Amino acid sequence: MAAGRILTGMRPTGPLHLGHYVGALENWLRLQREYECFFLIADYQAFGDHLDEIDRIRRSVFDVTLDWLAVGLDPEASAFVVQGYVPEHAELTLYFSMLTPKSWLDRNPTLKAEIAQIESEHDTISMGFYNYPLSQAADILLPKADLVPVGEDQEPHIELTREIARRFNRAYGETFPEPKSLMGRVPRLLGLDGQAKMSKSLDNAIYLSDDAKTVQRKVRRMVTDITGTHPRMQATDPGVVEYNPVFNYHDAFNPNADEVADLKERYERGTVSDGEVKDKLVDALNTFLDPIRERRAQYEAHPDQVAQILEAGSERERKIARETIGEVREKMRLTYTPDALTAPVGKRK
Ligand code: TRP
């Protein structure tokens, strides 16, 4: 019996990289065995700021699904849901947008930062983007999830979700649980260039779908000193492990703890070359990625199967979503049955 219900999700904006694995997927793999899980591909949310790139988002829905399957998320045990396949997401978002004071969005630090970022590039954001934290609250509350595994930056959205649940429950009667966020073990993985953020545009990430040669090429050009002040010119220069992101990756992906400890020790003493540290990382990463690549290729060759997984998972959530929306309409008295049409004004039935 599942210990509770989980909903979490991702925006389909490109293939997933090692940072997604360490920050989210690894955690989800563990959770799918203990909880009833809904894994959401938030296409509506991606449209909020990429409506001009629908084709790219569609491709990303496929990529994200392939990556999830490739790492071992199990579509039999958990439901893979496409947000847009369950239009109840949109309906609940609408009700929440009427229930929520605008000030609650204005003070949301994650939204604020994203708006500032977008507005520095284009002139304005869409209303859909402005509203996405409410759509996220609807994502979570529609299946009445108890737990939401997310990264730290999403915490304001989960807090907002709890506030909306409370406000709804107070106004219309107990309906929604107040969901809790679940922060994973967060071994922050740095970009290949040492930056804290990884992205396609920075070209500083290794993707789950990268082939062995690409991984080798990317690791070879990784920076080895994030401070820029400890240049290590040769293998006999003592190095500083914490300044070197290559060790950050060894810690996250090299299962051979003795080898990692030995490399670190020799690095600090100046008896190992950067090249050797990197070659060992290439081996570890490719060993880690090989089975993932294999599963990904299998599914990629069967897009019909992938489409079927998304349909079945969405249908599974939709059954629950219909019930929740029915309950919400009834509690909000948005029903127009003969009884409701003739009910006395201002009195609750
Ligand atoms: N905002 C999340 C992200 O950018 C994606 C997301 C959409 C999500 N709906 C969600 C996360 C519901 C958790 C729960 O990664």
Side-chain angles (χ1 to χ4, degrees):
M1 192 59 212
R5 187 173 283 170
I6 277 180
L7 182 135
T8 188
M10 290 184 181
R11 287 181 202 181
T13 53
L16 305 182
H17 50 60
L18 293 178
H20 291 113
Y21 187 85
V22 177
L25 298 174
E26 187 183 47
N27 205 19
W28 298 8
L29 284 168
R30 191 170 46 75
L31 293 167
Q32 73 172 346
R33 280 181 261 120
E34 293 163 44
Y35 295 88
E36 180 189 12
C37 291
F38 293 85
F39 297 125
L40 183 78
I41 302 187
D43 56 345
Y44 286 162
Q45 203 176 104
F47 293 152
D49 58 340
H50 296 281
L51 195 60
D52 52 336
E53 295 176 290
I54 290 199
D55 289 342
R56 197 168 66 80
I57 291 171
R58 187 178 319 112
R59 172 68 218 191
S60 298
V61 169
F62 189 42
D63 272 327
V64 168
T65 312
L66 289 175
D67 287 333
W68 287 1
L69 291 165
V71 298
L73 290 179
D74 175 2
E76 297 289 323
S78 306
F80 290 16
V81 180
V82 180
Q83 201 180 21
Y85 273 2
V86 186
E88 285 78 5
H89 284 276
E91 185 171 346
L92 193 58
T93 304
L94 178 72
Y95 299 148
F96 285 172
S97 72
M98 297 184 263
L99 190 72
T100 307
K102 179 169 170 289
S103 59
W104 288 12
L105 289 173
D106 290 333
R107 66 169 195 230
N108 181 306
T110 297
L111 182 64
K112 253 199 229 174
E114 287 167 335
I115 290 177
Q117 169 67 24
I118 293 171
E119 287 187 339
S120 71
E121 292 166 13
H122 328 278
D123 12 298
T124 185
I125 56 152
S126 70
M127 284 309 298
F129 188 84
Y130 189 75
N131 218 32
Y132 95 75
L134 297 187
S135 128
Q136 188 155 332
D139 294 342
I140 296 164
L141 295 180
L142 195 58
K144 300 191 177 182
D146 313 292
L147 289 171
V148 191
V150 281
E152 238 174 328
D153 63 319
Q154 300 291 302
E155 180 56 33
H157 300 337
I158 314 304
E159 178 59 33
L160 176 72
T161 304
R162 282 192 290 270
E163 288 176 306
I164 291 172
R166 273 198 290 279
R167 195 177 177 93
F168 189 100
N169 292 347
R170 210 176 305 126
Y172 304 109
E174 201 57 33
T175 308
F176 295 113
E178 288 183 32
K180 288 193 186 57
S181 56
L182 204 78
M183 304 290 162
R185 180 174 76 90
V186 197
R188 261 201 178 281
L189 199 66
L190 298 171
L192 302 175
D193 54 0
Q195 293 203 58
K197 209 174 134 68
M198 273 183 238
S199 76
K200 189 135 217 154
S201 53
L202 294 170
D203 189 25
N204 65 348
I206 292 173
Y207 291 87
L208 297 171
S209 44
D210 280 346
D211 62 25
K213 276 257 156 316
T214 306
V215 168
Q216 183 181 56
R217 183 173 52 75
K218 287 183 174 178
V219 169
R220 288 212 169 135
R221 66 174 170 74
M222 272 181 86
V223 304
T224 51
D225 170 30
I226 51 172
T227 68
T229 56
H230 285 71
R232 196 168 170 264
M233 310 308 286
Q234 50 204 16
T236 50
D237 292 344
V240 182
V241 165
E242 302 108 84
Y243 297 159
N244 187 343
V246 180
F247 283 108
N248 178 224
Y249 279 69
H250 268 295
D251 284 336
F253 292 102
N254 190 340
N256 186 343
D258 291 342
E259 177 175 278
V260 177
D262 172 63
L263 287 173
K264 284 181 179 173
E265 199 240 331
R266 286 160 62 212
Y267 190 75
E268 306 230 283
R269 271 197 291 136
T271 61
V272 67
S273 67
D274 281 350
E276 186 181 339
V277 178
K278 287 184 169 181
D279 284 347
K280 295 244 160 78
L281 178 62
V282 170
D283 288 344
L285 287 177
N286 281 329
T287 304
F288 168 76
L289 287 172
D290 268 339
I292 294 178
R293 291 175 182 131
E294 210 170 292
R295 266 195 303 267
R296 197 179 201 281
Q298 274 168 17
Y299 282 107
E300 192 164 16
H302 297 285
D304 50 326
Q305 218 175 320
V306 175
Q308 170 57 28
I309 284 168
L310 295 177
E311 257 176 59
S314 302
E315 194 46 45
R316 219 195 293 178
E317 193 203 46
R318 192 148 193 223
K319 287 206 182 74
I320 299 167
R322 283 207 195 95
E323 276 174 33
T324 304
I325 283 291
E327 185 184 352
V328 164
R329 284 171 155 257
E330 199 170 305
K331 289 201 166 139
M332 291 180 82
R333 303 191 305 288
L334 293 169
T335 48
Y336 302 107
T337 57
D339 272 1
L341 285 171
T342 55
V345 174
K347 286 208 185 124
R348 293 192 180 198
K349 287 198 64 167

